[in-house]
Structures are given as C-alpha cells and as structure tokens.
Amino acid sequence: MDLRQLRYFVAVARERNFTRAADLLHIAQPPLSRQIQLLEEELGVELIIRSSRPVRLTEAGRVFYEQALQILGRVEQMKEATRRVGLNQNSVLSIGFVASTLYGGLPALVRKLRQQAPDVDIQLLEMMSVHQLPALKEGRIDIGFGRLRHNDPMIVSAVLREERLAVAIPEGTPLASRNDPLPPEALTGEKLIVYPREPRPSFADQVLNVLLDRDVRPAEILEVSEIQTALGLVAAEAGLCVVPSSARKLRSDLHYRLLSGDRATSPIVLSHRAGDGSPHIELVKRLIQEMYQENPPWLGLEHNVTVSQSL
C-alpha cells in the first residue's frame, strides 16, 4: 500500500460516499473504487460496507481509519519540520514518551521548554519504552522518557526518579474502605489487570516482578493494551490494576491506595544518544532539575519518591 491509497481511503471514510470523495480528490470514481478494492485485497479484509447508504466502515475499517489518520498526520509533520529546518527557520527536537509520563511532569517540561527555546520545533511521539532505544539510534527521536533500564553503550540514560506505584480499586469494595498503603500481599487471590499486553518487557513486567518478589499470586491476570482500558475494567469491577501514582488523576470514579514496600516503584528514565552534544538536551536536563526543586504536586515527594541527582 502507499500514501495515495491511505488518502483515498480517508476521503471515502470521511465523506461516506464514493462520488463525493472522488470529487474532493479530483479523480474519477472508478479508479478511486479500484484503489480501495486493491487495499482490501492486500489486507485480506473488507474495510467498507458498500451496500449501505451512506457507506459505512467495518470494524476493521474503523481501526484502519484511525491508523491511517495517524500516519498521514505524521507525514505532514515530517514534511513541515523538514521544510523549516531546510529554510533555517528553526531546529527540531523529537521527544519519545510513554503515555504515563503525561500524568506527571512531561506537560510542564514541554511548556517550559517552549518558553525557553521558542525557536525549537518540539515533536512529541508516544512510544513504548522498548521502542525508544532503536528510535534514538536511528535518529527518529532525540530524547526518550520511558520506564525501562538498559545497558546499551550507545545510549546514555539517567533514572530521574522512582515513582511510587498505586493500586486502582473499584469504589465500594472492601479494599476501597481504607486510604493507607496497601501491602502487596493483599493482591493475593485477586484478579489483576496489567498493561501493556505487548511489546515486552514493559511496565506490566515491572508490576509482576514486584509481586513475584513478595511471592504474591493473583487469582487471574488479564493483559490489556493500555492504561485507559485497564482502568475502565477496574471501574467495571473486573479486577484491580497497579498504576504509577501520578496516574491516579486519570479517573476520579476509582479508589487508589499506594502500594507499600521499598521496591513498589517504577523508574522514570531519560535517554539520549551517547555523544550527542545538543544544547537542547542540556536545556531539558536543566529544566528537569529546576522543576524537581520546585517540588510540584505530581512529583509526590511526600511519599518518599527518590529524585535522581545524576543529571
């Protein structure tokens, strides 16, 4: 498949009509229909229900539509960033991040970075921790904020802090009747929801290792793709979920208790290429130190979170 086919498909999905989509694209309807058909043949699934008026997307079509929008949007960002750099209008700093850092200091850091370096085009890319190392080596990102330690000599990393873990609990259940830290042993025999399902290793493995160290055996472990899904299942009383403490603000209809124990933490790891002397990386490190000195609420120092002094 190519970008042209993605654009054709997105046009049909938006207009919900082949004729209007063809007019919008300034092409005849038959070649448009043929390109969508070739796309479906390559994927081996039907994307559009043509018998309905207006046309509708299949379940597979809805998934493909969301992914196509992301790809096309990323292509436009890439083109615009390349033009700006080529015209010497500004430089680009690409930051890869795991979603859970959005509930902590990343938004505040980006705001400060935009204020301190308005000439820098900051590109934010959500990316699993395990994917950040190859992305750094390949130059697709300049900085990564993840949750996995590593020993790669080509990548310099610093653990910014050890974030306390918390347990998301359905309201009205016995474990939700108290606010004090919850011993990991209390999860024995409970249904546990972990995320992400893949790729591994991931935050899910960190949580399972914390429990394994205490010989905690949940009755059942359900793996899901993302934190929003996991917390939605907790709200439906399908189980409990261990999350970074900063993510407690994500849903207000759940009860949260910190997980007790010195090892009940998850690291926030800053990574960049070894030998990269970019002043923007040094600026990011300085801003992080300044933010930590301010002791913002999301940092959770009142819960003995360890802050790195190695930047």
Side-chain angles (χ1 to χ4, degrees):
M1 72 182 69
D2 56 35
L3 292 177
R4 179 187 57 171
Q5 289 175 315
L6 296 186
R7 293 189 179 99
Y8 286 2
F9 173 77
V10 166
V12 174
R14 282 175 171 165
E15 297 298 320
R16 303 181 70 183
N17 182 284
F18 277 87
T19 302
R20 288 200 301 270
D23 291 342
L24 185 66
L25 294 166
H26 305 293
I27 63 172
Q29 183 175 334
L32 172 60
S33 299
R34 178 57 179 160
Q35 288 300 318
I36 301 298
Q37 182 181 1
L38 289 173
L39 196 55
E40 291 175 319
E41 290 175 358
E42 179 179 348
L43 294 169
V45 295
E46 185 182 33
L47 299 175
I48 296 174
I49 302 173
R50 293 164 173 79
S51 59
S52 67
R53 293 292 182 273
V55 299
R56 292 187 294 113
L57 298 181
T58 63
E59 287 295 329
R62 280 194 282 271
V63 171
F64 191 77
Y65 175 66
E66 293 298 328
Q67 297 293 324
L69 286 177
Q70 292 183 32
I71 291 171
L72 293 174
R74 182 70 185 112
V75 168
E76 289 303 314
Q77 289 179 2
M78 178 181 65
K79 288 163 59 178
E80 185 60 27
T82 302
R83 290 192 193 102
R84 283 197 289 264
V85 172
L87 296 172
N88 293 320
Q89 292 179 350
N90 58 0
S91 54
V92 177
L93 181 68
S94 295
I95 301 175
F97 66 94
V98 291
S100 59
T101 56
L102 288 175
Y103 313 123
L106 183 60
L109 172 64
V110 173
R111 287 195 299 270
K112 288 177 178 290
L113 191 56
R114 293 191 195 280
Q115 293 169 359
Q116 294 277 333
D119 60 321
V120 176
D121 182 11
I122 301 171
Q123 304 285 337
L124 295 170
L125 303 173
E126 183 180 351
M127 187 176 293
M128 296 291 189
S129 298
V130 73
H131 291 158
Q132 291 183 17
L133 297 187
L136 284 166
K137 293 179 188 177
E138 295 164 11
R140 290 184 283 122
I141 61 174
D142 302 300
I143 293 177
F145 289 96
R147 290 189 177 273
L148 291 181
R149 295 178 174 86
H150 67 87
N151 298 314
D152 194 314
M154 298 178 65
I155 305 297
V156 175
S157 292
V159 177
L160 301 179
R161 70 181 191 274
E162 292 285 350
E163 183 175 3
R164 289 288 299 274
L165 298 176
V167 183
I169 307 168
E171 290 281 11
T173 58
L175 290 179
S177 62
R178 299 173 58 175
N179 294 313
D180 58 322
L182 186 70
E185 290 77 9
L187 300 180
T188 297
E190 296 285 347
K191 291 183 179 180
L192 185 67
I193 303 163
V194 299
Y195 69 91
R197 180 187 296 114
E198 55 184 19
R200 307 295 276 270
S202 69
F203 178 74
D205 298 293
Q206 293 178 356
V207 170
L208 295 176
N209 286 335
V210 167
L211 300 184
L212 182 62
D213 286 345
R214 302 284 283 268
D215 198 28
V216 174
R217 302 182 183 277
E220 180 181 340
I221 296 176
L222 174 62
E223 298 181 352
V224 298
S225 59
E226 57 185 19
I227 186 173
Q228 290 86 354
T229 303
L231 294 182
L233 290 172
V234 174
E237 300 188 9
L240 309 178
C241 181
V242 178
V243 299
S245 59
S246 59
R248 288 177 291 176
K249 65 181 73 172
L250 193 55
R251 288 190 68 125
S252 59
D253 57 344
L254 299 176
H255 188 79
Y256 297 92
R257 291 174 65 179
L258 291 173
L259 197 62
S260 65
D262 293 339
R263 298 194 61 187
T265 62
S266 175
I268 301 292
V269 183
L270 167 67
S271 301
H272 61 84
R273 285 181 293 277
D276 190 339
S278 168
H280 302 139
I281 293 176
E282 293 306 313
L283 174 60
V284 167
K285 292 180 179 181
R286 177 172 64 80
L287 291 176
I288 290 172
Q289 287 183 324
E290 291 175 359
M291 287 168 56
Y292 283 2
Q293 291 170 0
E294 295 169 359
N295 190 14
W298 51 263
L299 188 56
L301 287 177
E302 69 276 15
H303 299 305
N304 300 318
V305 174
T306 301
V307 177
S308 172
Q309 302 296 321
S310 61
L311 291 181

